[in-house]
Amino acid sequence: MRIIVAGSGTSTGVPTLGCGCNVCTSRDPRDNRTRASILIQTDEHRNIVIDTGPDFRTQMLRYHIDSVDAVLFTHFHYDHVGGIDDLRPYSQRTEDPLPCYMNAQTFEEITRKMPYVNQSENYPNIPRLRFKILEEDDSHTPLCLNIAGIEFQPIRMVHVPSAEVFSTGFVIEKKFGYLTDFKHIFREDERFLYNLDVLYLGSPLDIEHPTHISHYEAFELFQKFQPRRAVVGHLSHQHSHERLLEKWKGIAEPAYDGMIF
Ligand SMILES: [Zn+2]
Ligand SMILES: [Zn+2]
Ligand SMILES: [Zn+2]
């Protein structure tokens, strides 16, 4: 299995439209941060993506992905679902509709905002998607998914406390934790996060933010969960890649588009 960071950027992407700052105008390709997504490739060449943001099509072209077998959605914000229509060519090439996993709120919001994606009887040319809501066991622990032989343990998180927006993180094969767009992790799900090979946390800024953890809060979580590699993504244009490498030396690694695990 390998994991490719398809997009390491925050909701605006970097460069940010209209911005002339030194990061947005940088020539370092690692400062070009597309919207947040990761791609999991199995040894049998099956592809699973987490989120299809507005840069999804560009990302799939960039990594020459000719099929997608399943999609996991973290939450319903545009920077994570805006590319959902671009699943159409992939979904038309598979025998069964393309399975898409998400929490109940994400399902409600996606189908409210884009009702046609779930109405194949009325719209004959839409992506053939099968929406699957993440299930919980009797003790309300989200059930582990097995997709193409790879285990995904969902992690419940609070993203926007004031609006009760929930996002879902995933621990892949008990090794790689991908948690983006959150302020708090459900305490009951923290047990899945200790001593991973990689813990990848989404955090755009080094200052307090109402809907994301700050870089310092990410470092506290790394201290707590003790991963072998600590990675921060969903990055803004606040700092260049070079600056982050220097600033975070010995603490964490900044993600970049094309980073491979
Ligand atoms: Zn986001
Ligand atoms: Zn900028
Ligand atoms: Zn978000």
Side-chain angles (χ1 to χ4, degrees):
M1 176 183 78
R2 70 171 187 164
I3 295 175
I4 304 172
V5 177
S8 60
T10 194
S11 55
T12 55
V14 181
T16 298
L17 292 176
C19 184
C21 80
N22 68 318
V23 182
C24 289
T25 56
S26 162
R27 289 180 181 199
D28 184 338
R30 298 167 304 178
D31 290 329
N32 191 307
R33 300 166 176 150
T34 61
R35 264 62 71 90
S37 172
I38 64 167
L39 171 68
I40 299 99
Q41 296 191 304
T42 73
D43 296 339
E44 293 77 36
H45 308 291
R46 310 279 299 274
N47 295 310
I48 300 151
V49 286
I50 300 187
D51 290 332
T52 61
D55 297 317
F56 175 68
R57 178 174 169 278
T58 307
Q59 292 161 344
M60 295 302 102
L61 289 170
R62 211 188 246 179
Y63 303 108
H64 310 289
I65 304 305
D66 50 22
S67 64
V68 168
D69 298 279
V71 183
L72 304 168
F73 286 103
T74 58
H75 65 300
F76 62 83
H77 283 160
Y78 172 74
D79 59 320
H80 297 258
V81 304
I84 203 166
D85 259 18
D86 288 321
L87 288 168
R88 193 163 46 150
Y90 292 133
S91 74
Q92 288 169 345
R93 249 178 269 132
T94 52
E95 209 170 301
D96 297 320
L98 182 50
C100 297
Y101 300 85
M102 64 199 79
N103 67 22
Q105 182 186 51
T106 305
F107 171 75
E108 278 161 30
E109 290 294 323
I110 289 179
T111 49
R112 191 173 62 80
K113 288 193 183 114
M114 297 181 270
Y116 62 91
V117 297
N118 211 21
Q119 293 178 10
S120 52
E121 63 283 7
N122 303 332
Y123 297 88
N125 203 24
I126 57 170
R128 291 169 59 244
L129 309 179
R130 177 169 298 140
F131 291 88
K132 297 183 181 224
I133 296 175
L134 298 170
E135 293 174 48
E136 297 181 356
D137 67 15
D138 295 341
S139 60
H140 297 295
T141 303
L143 291 180
C144 188
L145 303 164
N146 187 315
I147 306 170
I150 305 283
E151 276 187 10
F152 293 85
Q153 174 60 54
I155 306 293
R156 294 164 299 174
M157 307 185 295
V158 180
H159 179 13
V160 185
S162 55
E164 296 193 354
V165 174
F166 298 98
S167 58
T168 308
F170 295 95
V171 174
I172 304 162
E173 290 285 273
K174 300 187 176 73
K175 288 184 181 140
F176 186 102
Y178 181 76
L179 277 61
T180 191
D181 294 61
F182 71 98
K183 258 322 250 187
H184 309 289
I185 302 167
F186 275 43
R187 184 162 300 158
E188 303 87 322
D189 296 356
E190 287 187 350
R191 63 197 153 104
F192 299 111
L193 301 174
Y194 287 91
N195 305 308
L196 299 171
D197 287 353
V198 181
L199 182 56
Y200 184 117
L201 301 178
S203 170
L205 296 164
D206 62 13
I207 50 172
E208 180 78 16
H209 191 288
T211 65
H212 292 276
I213 55 167
S214 70
H215 297 160
Y216 302 105
E217 288 168 311
F219 300 159
E220 283 171 17
L221 293 174
F222 293 139
Q223 272 293 327
K224 177 174 178 173
F225 296 119
Q226 293 288 315
R228 272 181 278 285
R229 284 179 75 178
V231 182
V232 179
H234 208 283
L235 294 166
S236 71
H237 61 156
Q238 187 186 30
H239 298 296
S240 70
H241 187 82
E242 274 300 325
R243 174 83 186 99
L244 290 174
L245 282 176
E246 188 186 307
K247 202 172 175 229
W248 295 351
K249 206 166 186 176
I251 304 169
E253 300 170 59
Y256 56 91
D257 286 29
M259 189 179 197
I260 293 179
F261 299 92

